[in-house]
Amino acid sequence: MMKEDLRSLDHTQLQDVITLLGEKKYRADQIYRWLHVQGVQTYAAMTNVPAKLTEQLDAKYMIYPVRQETMLESRYDGTRKYLFSLHDGNVIESVFMRYEHGNAVCISSQVGCNMGCRFCASTIDGKVRDLTPGEMLGQIYAVMEDTGEKVSHVVVMGSGEPLENYVNLLTFLKMLTDEYGQNISQRNVTVSTCGLCDRIKTLADEQLQITLAISLHAPDDAKRKELMPVANRYSLPELIDACRYYFDKTGRRITFEYALIRGENDSEKDAETLAALVRGMNCHINLIPVNPVRERNYQQSDKNAVLAFKNKLEKNHINVTIRREMGRDIDGACGQLRRRHLAHSGDA
Ligand code: SAH
């Protein structure tokens, strides 16, 4: 039988496990601190916990590892891209970025992805499985261990669709932001979705203070359907409606991500249509020159088109920034490191 995942238990659940074993509650606090403040991945590292107790735990619970396989560091900005392996041999990617306001980690929420966005490398082989809360946290802890630095910001913007892995995502968010673990402010956490409207509304009802990022990438349904199969399930008016609901419930400004693809979605007319779509919303648009993926033939918009697009939005009084590209020299695009790894090991 598979052992249960010790790192996916929140503080209260761990206390229950420990007290059921006839131990004092403070033992749970000690163990939780080792796991979620220190980020250790073995029972042996918990030096102030009696061996008898860790042996009892070990019989039923495993600390499912997130092991560093590869790390690439950008020569330009210190961005680090990681390939991590999991207990079942699957591999996932995470990214570490240094900003003026602190260190950020971008984590994956699933192994692979089912959403099928045409410009994205993560989805080429579909989804293998969801990640557990412990595996999502484990990516952050492994990065902290490698860099020796604190992490203040987390973005769930790596491979996978987080709102499809909803229950695990919520446990992860709770454990990341409550007082017992890393204690990261909810305001410093961003979750990015391709736009699962029902789940956006459910998330809104949780009333968290996290930032919701929406992968928009097109100004109208016809163009969006060309790029993102999810547009066949939810129309743009439904998506905008869900975003308004999120803002009304949480007071948090929505971020829209828009990858500019040459000749597909980057004309001034597209900018005009986009401006009309989000008019009157409290939002921010992040323009991203699309990252060319070897398996796809989309190309980045040229600099002038990007600037013209931005100007057009600004003329319409819309908050817009062009995302600074980080780690250009280390395979920035979502899912590319993993694909290369799979290709070399003969699985793809
Ligand atoms: N499934 C979620 C989160 C993972 S994708 C979502 O769709 O938001 C993280 C972000 O990277 C999304 O905005 C996605 O559209 C974008 N992305 C994926 N491939 C890209 C590429 N080749 N160039 C630029 N952005 C890309």
Side-chain angles (χ1 to χ4, degrees):
M1 211 187 71
M2 281 258 298
K3 289 186 188 179
E4 285 182 54
D5 180 12
L6 192 71
R7 275 209 287 199
S8 291
L9 300 178
D10 69 25
H11 188 257
T12 316
Q13 289 169 328
L14 186 66
Q15 278 186 336
D16 291 346
V17 167
I18 296 298
T19 46
L20 273 174
L21 289 172
E23 295 280 346
K24 292 259 167 28
K25 263 194 183 158
Y26 80 93
R27 289 291 181 202
D29 298 339
Q30 285 179 324
I31 295 168
Y32 199 88
R33 217 171 295 130
W34 281 116
L35 291 172
H36 299 287
V37 179
Q38 307 298 327
V40 306
Q41 301 211 55
T42 61
Y43 287 110
M46 304 178 185
T47 48
N48 59 359
V49 181
K52 182 176 145 274
L53 176 54
T54 55
E55 277 158 27
Q56 277 178 300
L57 280 175
D58 190 26
K60 208 169 150 216
Y61 294 92
M62 179 163 147
I63 305 168
Y64 284 93
V66 174
R67 263 196 216 100
Q68 185 173 323
E69 294 292 328
T70 315
M71 189 277 284
L72 298 174
E73 180 165 17
S74 167
R75 278 177 287 139
Y76 304 130
D77 51 36
T79 297
R80 293 187 186 189
K81 183 133 195 182
Y82 294 89
L83 192 71
F84 292 123
S85 65
L86 308 175
H87 73 97
D88 57 2
N90 277 305
V91 293
I92 54 174
E93 291 179 24
S94 317
V95 185
F96 170 80
M97 290 158 288
R98 277 200 193 90
Y99 292 101
E100 248 150 52
H101 56 260
N103 294 329
V105 176
C106 172
I107 66 152
S108 296
S109 57
Q110 296 177 321
V111 180
C113 183
N114 254 343
M115 295 295 113
C117 299
R118 304 257 191 274
F119 45 81
C120 179
S122 300
T123 198
I124 293 173
D125 300 311
K127 181 184 83 173
V128 180
R129 69 172 174 88
D130 287 331
L131 295 181
T132 64
E135 288 169 334
M136 290 189 249
L137 292 164
Q139 295 170 61
I140 299 162
Y141 305 161
V143 169
M144 284 167 36
E145 188 182 348
D146 182 62
T147 58
E149 293 184 33
K150 274 214 146 301
V151 169
S152 57
H153 291 67
V154 172
V155 289
V156 187
M157 226 183 245
S159 299
E161 170 47 50
L163 297 192
E164 210 194 51
N165 187 13
Y166 189 80
V167 174
N168 288 346
L169 176 77
L170 274 221
T171 305
F172 160 76
L173 291 173
K174 175 176 190 296
M175 294 170 73
L176 181 68
T177 61
D178 74 17
E179 61 192 299
Y180 306 107
Q182 291 299 313
N183 200 4
I184 290 177
S185 163
Q186 286 185 5
R187 289 166 172 267
N188 292 357
V189 179
T190 297
V191 171
S192 179
T193 175
C194 65
L196 304 179
C197 295
D198 301 324
R199 290 281 165 82
I200 290 171
K201 288 185 177 166
T202 313
L203 182 65
D205 289 333
E206 316 274 353
Q207 308 227 341
L208 302 177
Q209 284 296 295
I210 60 172
T211 298
L212 184 65
I214 307 285
S215 299
L216 199 58
H217 304 321
D220 61 59
D221 277 318
K223 288 202 174 191
R224 199 157 187 265
K225 283 178 189 174
E226 297 270 313
L227 296 173
M228 304 175 71
V230 70
N232 295 302
R233 277 161 70 188
Y234 300 102
S235 70
L236 277 177
E238 284 174 283
L239 181 54
I240 296 300
D241 185 59
C243 290
R244 285 184 193 279
Y245 185 83
Y246 189 88
F247 178 77
D248 288 344
K249 283 277 164 168
T250 63
R252 300 291 293 160
R253 184 175 82 162
I254 301 282
T255 297
F256 290 111
E257 290 158 280
Y258 195 103
L260 287 161
I261 309 173
R262 185 182 301 184
E264 301 281 337
N265 63 1
D266 64 346
S267 71
E268 291 195 41
K269 173 134 195 312
D270 291 328
E272 205 62 76
T273 314
L274 176 59
L277 181 71
V278 303
R279 186 155 294 141
M281 278 184 85
N282 201 332
C283 69
H284 176 95
I285 298 183
N286 216 337
L287 299 176
I288 312 148
V290 79
N291 228 319
V293 173
R294 193 182 288 174
E295 294 81 356
R296 310 293 204 211
N297 52 12
Y298 292 118
Q299 285 168 15
Q300 285 195 346
S301 308
D302 62 51
K303 280 229 161 62
N304 290 335
V306 175
L307 287 177
F309 201 94
K310 176 168 179 266
N311 285 341
K312 186 60 93 183
L313 291 176
E314 278 174 344
K315 283 216 178 80
N316 283 280
H317 310 290
I318 289 169
N319 284 309
V320 54
T321 46
I322 299 172
R323 186 189 290 167
R324 189 151 64 94
E325 285 183 89
M326 301 193 62
R328 278 218 67 159
D329 50 333
I330 52 166
D331 246 339
C334 207
Q336 292 204 46
L337 207 60
R338 173 166 173 266
R339 275 208 60 77
R340 207 134 309 155
H341 176 90
L342 294 181
H344 288 157
S345 60
D347 296 351

